[in-house]
Amino acid sequence: MTIETQPGPATEFGDEAELDALYRDLAAVDLRPLWTITEQLLTPSPKPAAVPWLWSAATMKPLARRAISLVPVERGGERRVLSLQNPGLGGRPYAVGTLWGAIQCLGPREVAPAHRHTPGAIRFVLEGEGVWTTVDGDACDMRPGDLVLTPSMNWHDHTSAVDGEMFWFDGLDLPMVEALDGVFFEEYPGPGEAQPEPVEHNVSERTHAGGTRYVAGSVTDTLSPRHSQLMNYRWADTSAELDRLAAATDDPLIRVEYVDPETGASVLPTMACAVHRVRAGRRSAPVRRAGNAIYVAYQGSGSSVIGGERFDWGPGDMFVVPSWVPVEHAAHEQADLFVVSDEPVFRALGIARTETLPEAQQVTGTFTPR
Ligand code: GTQ
Ligand code: FE2
């Protein structure tokens, strides 16, 4: 963030020339007078640099396919990933100020080498089959609609055992960990670029088969500095939970958050994952929240009004709602939106805030995807 120094207030103390000299002398010794920048620092409400934005599947997929044919997945580059780069962030490769969002793809029988890092990641599978992510030795099969966790400092690699292509969404807390000057990264020492394939896949899933994996709405109180030990949340379970909740209410929006079955906390200390189901022909109330979120339209189609602008979406489209910008959703046909956010951090710091607005937003424009 660049903060311009505003001219100091005209004052009865001292004269103009002396005041100018004071500002020059302060700058020369690396001191900054707060009174000239107070209003830019202590804003009445968040002023995110990121703007509401949408990346369409129709634009991303052909480019990802070109990358599959042109760019190998190798040690050093590590991943074939196209990051959502918010145009408001001045060239930083982040979807919103606190979150990395990306589309990742694997070509036939490719292996993305094992590594680990302090930033935590979540994957939401869009399309393809025959791929697993090995998370600290546990091979987690990935199927469309599944949520797979690769928490901070867990070894992870991605392996395709089939001839097809695979696409998924990645969400990482990288910008947060970077802001904390806490990024560490290590290549897997081997032998081999990937971790050995275990005889049995999906061990964490079997270990936690009985636990509660979802809460209606979102986690409100529980916090945990540990991540969930369950690494794969299956779409069949997620959609069954949505169906169950939908049967009990007539609300336009049904929300489910994935939780750690042992603690009931959000899946990672830094990120919450949820699915919002919008009923066909219905519109949700406008809400704004302190904190950023990335949405991935999984199935169905509709539109969201974000800060007065209308964003139309369908399967595979990704869009962002920056901090404190109001958002409301409407679905043409029943739609499921996967959402990743920085909510647990706001709760851990005691600064969480959400507001439901009394009236639908005025629509002042429609976003045109590039
Ligand atoms: O799959 O390990 O989108 O390390 C960014 C960094 C994915 C990954 C990303 C990563 C990965
Ligand atoms: Fe990684």
Side-chain angles (χ1 to χ4, degrees):
M1 172 172 58
T2 314
I3 297 162
E4 300 299 329
T5 294
Q6 305 289 310
T11 159
E12 59 203 78
F13 308 100
D15 66 34
E16 200 73 20
E18 278 183 62
L19 195 56
D20 287 349
L22 171 63
Y23 288 138
R24 263 198 318 278
D25 292 348
L26 286 167
V29 297
D30 312 302
L31 292 169
R32 191 79 180 264
L34 171 63
W35 62 88
T36 65
I37 54 176
T38 308
E39 288 173 2
Q40 292 162 77
L41 291 176
L42 296 164
T43 55
S45 59
K47 298 284 172 262
V51 291
W53 206 256
L54 180 144
W55 295 260
S56 75
T59 302
M60 292 188 286
K61 289 245 315 264
L63 292 165
R65 289 213 164 90
R66 277 164 65 188
I68 289 177
S69 63
L70 290 171
V71 187
V73 179
E74 283 174 344
R75 185 59 85 198
E78 303 290 304
R79 299 291 185 260
R80 193 187 293 105
V81 161
L82 305 174
S83 94
L84 310 177
Q85 178 167 296
N86 192 297
L89 292 177
R92 298 171 79 221
Y94 302 136
V96 276
T98 52
L99 298 168
W100 167 281
I103 182 166
Q104 178 161 176
C105 52
L106 269 189
R109 302 192 184 270
E110 284 184 325
V111 178
H115 65 211
R116 64 179 183 179
H117 36 71
T118 46
I122 60 92
R123 332 279 171 180
F124 185 79
V125 183
L126 295 171
E127 193 183 314
E129 52 165 13
V131 170
W132 62 84
T133 291
T134 307
V135 188
D136 258 2
D138 186 15
C140 300
D141 292 323
M142 300 168 85
R143 290 192 285 264
D146 290 354
L147 171 68
V148 177
L149 310 181
T150 59
S152 176
M153 288 314 275
N154 281 236
W155 294 110
H156 55 284
D157 48 69
H158 313 294
T159 300
S160 165
V162 295
D163 288 328
E165 292 170 334
M166 180 85 169
F167 299 90
W168 67 85
F169 166 78
D170 286 324
L172 278 83
D173 56 17
L174 176 56
M176 292 189 250
V177 180
E178 184 198 44
L180 295 168
D181 290 327
V183 175
F184 291 85
F185 172 91
E186 287 171 53
E187 289 178 356
Y188 182 64
E193 287 213 326
Q195 299 165 78
E197 187 187 345
V199 181
E200 291 199 53
H201 285 207
N202 310 310
V203 171
S204 82
E205 222 183 316
R206 281 195 296 284
T207 312
H208 295 277
T212 303
R213 302 157 188 222
Y214 305 95
V215 295
S218 58
V219 174
T220 51
D221 294 321
T222 317
L223 276 170
S224 172
R226 292 182 61 227
H227 58 78
S228 173
Q229 301 296 307
L230 172 62
M231 296 302 165
N232 198 338
Y233 295 72
R234 296 283 174 202
W235 179 250
D237 297 333
T238 310
S239 64
E241 185 64 15
L242 286 160
D243 290 343
R244 201 180 64 76
L245 291 170
T249 152
D250 185 44
D251 293 351
L253 189 74
I254 296 124
R255 298 184 307 141
V256 151
E257 183 177 341
Y258 303 82
V259 296
D260 175 346
E262 281 171 14
T263 63
S266 296
V267 289
L268 297 184
T270 49
M271 290 189 286
C273 293
V275 176
H276 295 181
R277 173 167 289 178
V278 194
R279 275 187 212 277
R282 303 285 299 279
R283 163 174 294 277
S284 66
V287 170
R288 60 182 174 182
R289 188 184 70 82
N292 297 305
I294 309 175
Y295 287 70
V296 181
Y298 178 55
Q299 51 192 23
S301 64
S303 63
S304 301
V305 182
I306 312 172
E309 196 175 357
R310 199 185 91 201
F311 291 74
D312 296 313
W313 40 257
D317 294 349
M318 303 173 186
F319 60 94
V320 292
V321 180
S323 186
W324 212 238
V325 178
V327 60
E328 63 202 75
H329 310 289
H332 307 317
E333 45 181 329
Q334 177 176 295
D336 290 326
L337 298 167
F338 174 81
V339 194
V340 61
S341 75
D342 51 20
E343 272 178 56
V345 176
F346 277 75
R347 286 192 287 108
L349 300 183
I351 56 171
R353 258 193 221 232
T354 305
E355 194 175 275
T356 302
L357 302 175
E359 281 169 46
Q361 297 172 71
Q362 294 264 5
V363 182
T364 53
T366 302
F367 180 82
T368 314
R370 294 190 174 164

